[in-house]
C-alpha cells in the first residue's frame, strides 16, 4: 500500500478500516520491521552456529566418556562400527537438531512479526490463512511419521555398513597374506 501511495503521490497510507498513516510514519514503521527481522536473522545465525559448535564438542565428549566408562561386556556386545556411528553420525544428527531448533526459534520470531503485521492489515484473511496452515500441518503428520521410520531404517543400515567396513578392515592383513 505504501508503494501504491508513493506512486500516486499521496502523503498518507490508507490501512485497514480506512485509517490513514502519514507516509513518513508508515515508511519508518516498515524500516523498523525490516531492521527487527534483519537483527533476528543475524541473531539466529549466531545462536545457531554457537549452539552447533558447543553441542558437537559436548556430545562427542559425553559419548567418548560414556563409552570409556562402560563395562567390557557392554563394549564387547556393541556391533563393530557402532562406536564410530555414535561419535560421528549420531553426534552430527544431534547437532543438526540443535541447529534446527535455533532456526525454528528464529523462524517463529519472524513468523510472529509477519502474522502481527498481516493481522493489522487484513485480520479476516489472516485468520483464514492461519487456520488453513494449521490444517495443512495436521494433514502432514502421517508423512512425518513415515519420514521418521525411514530415518530409523537408514540409521540401522549405516550401523550394518559400519560393521562390514570394520570387519573388512580387521581382516585386511589376512586378505593380503592369503589372497
Amino acid at each position: 500500500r505504501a508503494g501504491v501511495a508513493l506512486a500516486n503521490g499521496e502523503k498518507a497510507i490508507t490501512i485497514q478500516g480506512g485509517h490513514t498513516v502519514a507516509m513518513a510514519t508508515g515508511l519508518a514503521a516498515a524500516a523498523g520491521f525490516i531492521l527487527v527481522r534483519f537483527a533476528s536473522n543475524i541473531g539466529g545465525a549466531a545462536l545457531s552456529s554457537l549452539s552447533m559448535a558447543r553441542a558437537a564438542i559436548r556430545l562427542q565428549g559425553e559419548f567418548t566418556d560414556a563409552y570409556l566408562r562402560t563395562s567390557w561386556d557392554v563394549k564387547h556386545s556393541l556391533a563393530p562400527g557402532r562406536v564410530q556411528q555414535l561419535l560421528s553420525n549420531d553426534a552430527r544428527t544431534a547437532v543438526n537438531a540443535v541447529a534446527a531448533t535455533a532456526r525454528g526459534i528464529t523462524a517463529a520470531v519472524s513468523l510472529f512479526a509477519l502474522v502481527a503485521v498481516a493481522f493489522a492489515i487484513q485480520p479476516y484473511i489472516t485468520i483464514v490463512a492461519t487456520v488453513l496452515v494449521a490444517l495443512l500441518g495436521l494433514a502432514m503428520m502421517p508423512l512425518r511419521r513415515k519420514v521418521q521410520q525411514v530415518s530409523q531404517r537408514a540409521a540401522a543400515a549405516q550401523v550394518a555398513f559400519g560393521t562390514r567396513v570394520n570387519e573388512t578392515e580387521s581382516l585386511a592383513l589376512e586378505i593380503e597374506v592369503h589372497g
Side-chain angles (χ1 to χ4, degrees), residues 24-40 113 117:
T25 303
L27 292 177
F33 288 134
I34 289 170
L35 286 174
V36 166
R37 184 154 190 230
F38 179 73
S40 70
V117 170

Side-chain angles (χ1 to χ4, degrees), residues 52-133:
M52 285 176 59
R54 286 181 178 169
I57 292 167
R58 192 186 89 242
L59 287 172
Q60 287 176 340
E62 287 178 9
F63 284 163
T64 302
D65 289 344
Y67 177 74
L68 293 174
R69 283 193 310 264
T70 60
S71 68
W72 171 248
D73 293 337
V74 173
K75 289 177 189 170
H76 187 66
S77 69
L78 291 174
R82 179 65 178 138
V83 174
Q84 179 182 356
Q85 183 187 22
L86 282 171
L87 289 173
S88 59
N89 298 342
D90 289 2
R92 184 178 18 218
T93 300
V95 167
N96 289 341
V98 169
T101 302
R103 284 191 305 271
I105 291 169
T106 302
V109 169
S110 292
L111 180 64
F112 178 75
L114 293 173
V115 168
V117 170
F119 190 78
I121 294 171
Q122 289 288 342
Y124 303 115
I125 293 174
T126 303
I127 290 170
V128 169
T130 303
V131 169
L132 289 175
V133 168

Side-chain angles (χ1 to χ4, degrees), residues 79-83 85-86 89-90 93 147-165:
R82 179 65 178 138
V83 174
Q85 183 187 22
L86 282 171
N89 298 342
D90 289 2
T93 300
V147 167
Q148 286 175 337
Q149 291 169 353
V150 170
S151 177
Q152 288 171 348
R153 285 196 300 267
Q158 274 189 316
V159 169
F161 178 72
T163 300
R164 289 192 303 272
V165 168

Side-chain angles (χ1 to χ4, degrees), residues 134-179:
L135 291 173
L136 180 62
L138 289 173
M140 297 296 287
M141 288 181 80
L143 178 62
R144 183 175 172 238
R145 279 189 224 107
K146 182 68 174 172
V147 167
Q148 286 175 337
Q149 291 169 353
V150 170
S151 177
Q152 288 171 348
R153 285 196 300 267
Q158 274 189 316
V159 169
F161 178 72
T163 300
R164 289 192 303 272
V165 168
N166 190 293
E167 289 170 352
T168 302
E169 184 181 9
S170 67
L171 293 173
L173 180 60
E174 287 83 359
I175 293 170
E176 186 67 28
V177 170
H178 299 290

